[in-house]
Amino acid sequence: MSKIATPEKTQEYLERFYAGVQRRNPGEQEFHQAVYEVAHSIFPYISDKPHYHEKQILERMAEPDRVVIFRVVWEDDEGNIRVNRGYRVQNNNAIGPYKGGLRFHPNVTLSVLKFLAFEQTFKNSLTGLPMGGGKGGSDFNPKGKSDSEVMRFCQAFMNELYHHIGPDIDVPAGDIGVGAREIGYLFGQYKRLTNQFVGVLTGKGLEFGGSLIRTEATGYGTVYMMENMLAVKNDTIDGKTCVVSGSGNVATYAVEKINQLGGKVVTLSDSSGYVFDPDGIDAEKLAWIVDLKTVKRGRISEYADEFNVEFHQGKRPWEVECDLAFPCATQNEVSGDEAKLLIKNGCRGVSEGANMPTEQVGVDAFLEAKIMFAPSKAANAGGVAVSGLEMSQNSARISWSEGDLQTLLKKTMLGIHDQCVEYGQEPDGYVNYLKGANVAGFVKVADAMLAYGVV
Ligand code: NDP
Ligand code: 2IT
C-alpha cells in the first residue's frame, strides 16, 4: 500500500496510522486517545497535501523526541525512605525549547504524560510563541504531606531533572499538584546544583523572576476563549449560569473572571464530589476557597459546611443545569453520557480549562449538537502563553507591567480563537474549534519539521 493518502483513502490511512500508534505504545490509553483526536482532524486536512505524508510528519510528531524516566528517593518526616518515579517527556522542539508543566499526582503514568506532552506541542504552537512541547512529573502524592516533605521530594526530583532542562533546552512549569510552593523548591534546588540564575522554570515567585498574571492566566484565558466564541454570536457571559469543575489554580481563576464578566458560577468540585451554590460563588466566597486550597490545603466539601449549601459526594457537576460549562479539573472528567446531559439541559458552550477533560464520545456529542466547544489545547493555552512571556522577560532581565501582560494575554486568546475559525469554519457557518485548533497547531510545527529535512 502506498504511503501517500488521497482524499478517498483518508479513513483507511487514519486507521492504519492509529493501529500503528496502538501497537507501538501498548496500554497507553490516554496517549492513544489524544493522538486519535488530533489525527482525526489532520488526515482530512492533509489528504491533498502529499508532502506531509511523504515525510511522515504526523508519525514523527506522535513519537516523543525523548523520554527520561528516573528514580526519586526522599525521606519522609518519620525517617522512612520513600521511592517515587519521575518523568520528563520531551515531545517535540521543532519551534522552540520543550515547554510544559510538571504534574505530581498518584495517577501519573507514562501514558498520561505522553498525552500531555503531545497536546502541549499543538497548544504551544497555537500561542504563536517559539515553544516546543514537553511534560513531566511524578506519581508522588502531595496530599497530606508536610511542607518539609514536599521540599525534600522536589529537591530529590530536581537532582535528576536538572541534567535534562535549561532555558534554551526545556523549561518546565506547574500543573496538577505543582504550584508556587513546588516551583520555589524546584528552582531553589536547580540554582544550588548549577550555580546559575536563569529562566529554567516558569510560574516562579515574583521575587525571583516570575511574571505578573501567570497564576491567573490559564483560568482567565479559558474564560476569554468562551467570551470570544460568544462574541461571534453577538452574545456575552453577562447573566449566564456557569458550571465549573475542579477547585485548583485553573478553576478558581476561571471563576474570578466569570464573576468579573457578570456570569454566575454555581459549582466547584474536587475528586471527592461537587458543591452546588445556587446563589453563585461570589468574590468573597472565592477568596475563602483560595485560602482553603492554597494555604490550609483543605477539601471543597468544607465549602458546603461553611456556606450551608449542598455537597454531592462522589459526583461531578455536569448534572446541574447551566448555560456554559468549564471543566477545569482533570482528563476524562466529562463522560459521553454527561456531555449529552449537559446538551439536554440547555448548555450552549463548553470551554476546557483542564487538558482533555472530555471523553471522545462526549466531544463527538458536542460537535454533533453544534454547540460552542473550545478544546483544551486552544482554551487553556493562556497559561503557557504567559509562561512564554515569563521566559522572554527572564532572557531580557526585565519585568513587564500587569496592564501590558493583560493585553498580551487577551490578544493571544483572540489570536487562537481566530486561527480556530480560519481552519475550523464549516460550510454551514458552524465553527468546529477542535478541527481548527488541531490543524492550526499542526501546520506551524509540521512546516518547521519539513524545513529541517529528515532528522
Ligand atoms: P491544581 O492541582 O491546582 O488543581 C487540580 C484540581 O483538579 C483539584 O481541584 C483536584 O482535586 C482536581 N482533580 C485532580 N485530579 C482529579 C481527579 N482524578 N478527579 C477529579 N478531580 C481531580 O491543578 P490545576 O488547576 O493547575 O490543573 C487543572 C487542570 O488544568 C489539569 O488538567 C491541568 O493539566 C490543566 N492545566 C493547567 C494549567 C496551569 O497553568 N496550571 C495550564 C493548562 C492546563 P483534588 O484536590 O481532589 O485532587
Ligand atoms: O498544560 C499546560 O499548558 C500547563 N500546565 C502549563 C505549562 C507551562 O509551561 O506553563
Side-chain angles (χ1 to χ4, degrees):
M1 196 178 353
S2 159
K3 281 195 183 124
I4 314 295
T6 59
E8 302 75 48
K9 288 199 166 169
T10 300
Q11 187 60 27
E12 187 185 322
Y13 193 86
L14 168 64
E15 278 163 23
R16 188 155 55 104
F17 163 81
Y18 187 55
V21 170
Q22 288 178 304
R23 195 174 51 247
R24 282 201 310 282
N25 303 280
E28 296 180 1
Q29 186 266 324
E30 294 86 357
F31 181 60
H32 301 166
Q33 183 183 344
V35 174
Y36 182 82
E37 184 230 89
V38 168
H40 197 260
S41 303
I42 298 301
F43 276 105
Y45 173 75
I46 62 175
S47 64
D48 58 355
K49 300 173 185 68
H51 49 293
Y52 291 129
H53 299 287
E54 282 161 10
K55 303 296 180 197
Q56 300 282 292
I57 294 295
L58 195 59
E59 288 77 359
R60 285 153 66 182
M61 289 168 80
E63 192 65 44
D65 288 356
R66 175 175 313 102
V67 176
V68 186
I69 303 183
F70 49 97
R71 183 179 65 231
V72 185
V73 189
W74 58 283
E75 190 175 341
D76 71 18
D77 287 344
E78 278 77 50
N80 304 306
I81 301 304
R82 309 280 286 258
V83 182
N84 286 97
R85 187 170 297 169
Y87 306 83
R88 187 70 183 167
V89 179
Q90 297 179 330
N91 193 70
N92 186 297
N93 68 352
I95 62 167
Y98 305 106
K99 180 83 195 88
L102 296 171
R103 177 177 292 192
F104 292 168
H105 192 280
N107 77 6
V108 162
T109 59
L110 182 58
S111 170
V112 167
L113 296 177
K114 278 172 69 177
F115 113 65
L116 288 162
F118 178 78
E119 287 281 293
Q120 197 82 43
T121 303
F122 294 82
K123 184 195 307 190
N124 293 2
S125 164
L126 282 171
T127 66
L129 297 170
M131 300 182 289
K135 201 85 186 190
S138 173
D139 58 357
F140 172 72
N141 185 1
K143 273 195 208 110
K145 303 287 190 302
S146 69
D147 283 353
S148 315
E149 288 176 322
V150 170
M151 180 185 75
R152 286 195 295 276
F153 175 79
C154 288
Q155 292 174 341
F157 184 82
M158 186 54 82
N159 285 345
E160 173 63 31
L161 187 70
Y162 90 99
H163 292 293
H164 312 286
I165 62 176
D168 298 318
I169 302 170
D170 182 356
V171 182
D175 193 79
I176 292 178
V178 178
R181 173 182 62 171
E182 290 74 18
I183 293 293
Y185 294 145
L186 290 163
F187 186 73
Q189 185 71 353
Y190 181 88
K191 195 168 65 59
R192 187 174 172 210
L193 290 165
T194 63
N195 194 26
Q196 288 189 345
F197 193 111
V198 289
V200 71
L201 292 165
T202 61
K204 299 184 292 299
L206 296 177
E207 308 77 15
F208 50 96
S211 174
L212 287 165
I213 81 159
R214 174 62 190 89
T215 311
E216 297 89 338
T218 311
Y220 280 16
T222 302
V223 178
Y224 290 147
M225 189 69 193
M226 180 66 85
E227 200 186 20
N228 292 331
M229 293 196 296
L230 284 162
V232 174
K233 298 177 182 292
N234 289 320
D235 203 349
T236 64
I237 287 180
D238 192 28
K240 301 285 188 301
T241 298
C242 302
V243 160
V244 179
S245 67
S247 47
N249 171 265
V250 179
T252 48
Y253 288 100
V255 176
E256 183 167 283
K257 186 50 71 182
I258 292 168
N259 285 340
Q260 288 169 7
L261 296 174
K264 180 165 91 167
V265 178
V266 293
T267 65
L268 276 175
S269 70
D270 61 22
S271 50
S272 312
Y274 77 90
V275 290
F276 174 53
D277 186 344
D279 294 335
I281 299 169
D282 62 19
E284 210 174 303
K285 292 173 183 169
L286 186 64
W288 186 90
I289 293 172
V290 172
D291 179 66
L292 173 78
K293 285 289 177 174
T294 58
V295 181
K296 302 195 182 80
R297 300 194 185 268
R299 309 296 298 157
I300 199 67
S301 57
E302 294 169 51
Y303 178 95
D305 302 334
E306 177 75 12
F307 297 104
N308 199 21
V309 299
E310 293 168 13
F311 176 64
H312 296 263
Q313 175 100 34
K315 292 203 155 181
R316 302 193 284 214
W318 318 121
E319 58 194 20
V320 173
E321 273 184 35
C322 65
D323 301 308
L324 306 173
F326 297 85
C328 294
T330 192
Q331 66 271 5
N332 292 328
E333 55 162 323
V334 185
S335 69
D337 287 345
E338 286 167 322
K340 287 174 195 150
L341 186 59
L342 277 167
I343 298 163
K344 184 164 158 261
N345 285 341
C347 175
R348 293 172 37 222
V350 177
S351 186
E352 295 185 329
N355 282 307
M356 203 173 72
T358 312
E359 288 179 357
Q360 186 68 47
V361 269
V363 172
D364 294 342
F366 292 147
L367 296 178
E368 202 175 307
K370 294 193 185 276
I371 68 166
M372 291 170 285
F373 170 64
S376 49
K377 61 174 72 66
N380 70 32
V384 74
V386 176
S387 276
L389 301 176
E390 182 171 332
M391 289 166 69
S392 303
Q393 293 171 82
N394 291 168
S395 300
R397 304 201 191 286
I398 51 171
S399 302
W400 293 332
S401 73
E402 179 167 346
D404 287 349
L405 288 157
Q406 293 279 14
T407 305
L408 284 169
L409 173 60
K410 275 195 173 174
K411 217 173 123 190
T412 303
M413 295 313 296
L414 189 58
I416 292 173
H417 174 272
D418 293 352
Q419 291 178 71
C420 293
V421 174
E422 183 186 340
Y423 288 101
Q425 190 147 35
E426 295 181 343
D428 66 357
Y430 175 67
V431 181
N432 182 332
Y433 287 87
L434 179 77
K435 179 173 149 205
N438 285 336
V439 174
F442 171 82
V443 169
K444 187 174 160 193
V445 179
D447 289 347
M449 290 171 72
L450 284 176
Y452 299 139
V454 181
V455 285

